[in-house]
Amino acid sequence: DTAVSQTPKYLVTQMGNDKSIKCEQNLGHDTMYWYKQDSKKFLKIMFSYNNKELIINETVPNRFSPKSPDKAHLNLHINSLELGDSAVYFCASSTQGTGNTIYFGEGSWLTVV
Amino acid sequence: GNSVTQMEGPVTLSEEAFLTINCTYTATGYPSLFWYVQYPGEGLQLLLKATKADDKGSNKGFEATYRKETTSFHLEKGSVQVSDSAVYFCALSGGTGRRALTFGSGTRLQVQP
């Protein structure tokens, strides 16, 4: 079974549309994350939830809204998509503790045309 | 805040050559240090980690030692293979900062037969 799974893997959509990416982890972790990887491969944290509570909210346009219905799920909804939103979005999870490994999903490749 | 600096790529080596990818960090306190690898078209996988000074992380022939005095965590491998071609990311978490990973910019490694 895949530990951190996210869907869809590929998404091509037009500017102005609203889309969601779903993430689920079956590792029993209490912390989940969304990272964005740009075209130059740079990775940056967007959001983090611990036990369904938002604990990290970086400087991200408010068109991006995460939702965590339970500890095992963290979805990302994006409104009014723009060309600059094209990127790979990675979901990840971990247990508490700074030395603990963060496990990543396979990524969702979003292309806005 | 936390930051990670790693050498720019691409690094191009012949098979069986020695690999070093430099990584230095800035953080207060005692962060944990990680190397992640991203193969083409895939997500990030943990390669190795070290959680305290002088610890050595190792996996698949790769090694890195947590050097607090030089704030470094250089990645090394004695003999690279074509299958090691990927993008390598140095990262840290914790210290007096937050749990989420702060990544370096990534170093692309290309190994030629």
Side-chain angles (χ1 to χ4, degrees), chain B residues 84-105:
Chain B
D84 293 327
S85 299
V87 181
Y88 292 82
F89 293 91
C90 185
L92 68 81
S93 72
T96 54
R98 58 199 179 184
R99 186 183 312 149
L101 288 166
T102 299
F103 284 93
S105 56

Side-chain angles (χ1 to χ4, degrees), chain A:
Chain A
D1 281 343
T2 303
V4 181
S5 59
Q6 47 184 117
T7 57
K9 183 163 185 175
Y10 299 101
L11 181 56
V12 180
T13 188
Q14 291 188 327
M15 277 196 308
N17 283 351
D18 301 339
K19 291 294 177 186
S20 291
I21 305 172
K22 296 185 176 182
C23 179
E24 175 182 6
Q25 54 93 5
N26 62 8
L27 297 167
H29 292 165
D30 54 11
T31 305
M32 296 186 72
Y33 313 82
W34 278 109
Y35 282 83
K36 179 180 179 180
Q37 185 175 45
D38 63 22
S39 59
K40 296 184 178 179
K41 296 290 188 182
F42 189 72
L43 281 151
K44 188 171 181 184
I45 183 72
M46 299 174 69
F47 303 104
S48 176
Y49 272 74
N50 179 256
N51 286 319
K52 301 195 299 176
E53 180 184 349
L54 181 65
I55 56 172
I56 294 175
N57 185 354
E58 286 298 283
T59 308
V60 175
N62 57 16
R63 298 182 294 104
F64 290 78
S65 54
K67 283 189 172 52
S68 181
D70 56 57
K71 285 198 314 182
H73 295 84
L74 180 61
N75 303 323
L76 182 65
H77 188 74
I78 315 170
N79 289 327
S80 304
L81 278 156
E82 300 177 358
L83 293 176
D85 297 332
S86 296
V88 184
Y89 293 87
F90 286 101
C91 179
S93 73
S94 72
T95 55
Q96 290 193 33
T98 57
N100 291 344
T101 300
I102 296 179
Y103 294 85
F104 286 81
E106 294 189 342
S108 294
W109 271 253
L110 172 64
T111 302
V112 182
V113 297

Side-chain angles (χ1 to χ4, degrees), chain B residues 14-109:
Chain B
S14 298
E15 209 164 21
E16 299 184 2
F18 184 87
L19 168 71
T20 299
I21 301 177
N22 290 336
C23 171
T24 57
Y25 68 89
T26 301
T28 52
Y30 300 92
S32 296
L33 302 174
F34 304 81
W35 277 100
Y36 278 82
V37 58
Q38 185 177 28
Y39 297 102
E42 297 186 12
L44 290 102
Q45 303 173 27
L46 177 70
L47 182 59
L48 52 84
K49 70 177 185 181
T51 57
K52 60 183 187 295
D54 300 326
D55 268 2
K56 178 186 282 188
S58 60
N59 186 25
K60 299 181 182 179
F62 291 89
E63 292 183 341
T65 301
Y66 187 162
R67 301 285 188 201
K68 190 162 177 64
E69 64 276 14
T70 54
T71 62
S72 65
F73 193 54
H74 305 320
L75 182 68
E76 296 182 335
K77 186 175 186 183
S79 175
V80 294
Q81 306 300 312
V82 172
S83 58
D84 293 327
S85 299
V87 181
Y88 292 82
F89 293 91
C90 185
L92 68 81
S93 72
T96 54
R98 58 199 179 184
R99 186 183 312 149
L101 288 166
T102 299
F103 284 93
S105 56
T107 302
R108 182 179 300 277
L109 170 66

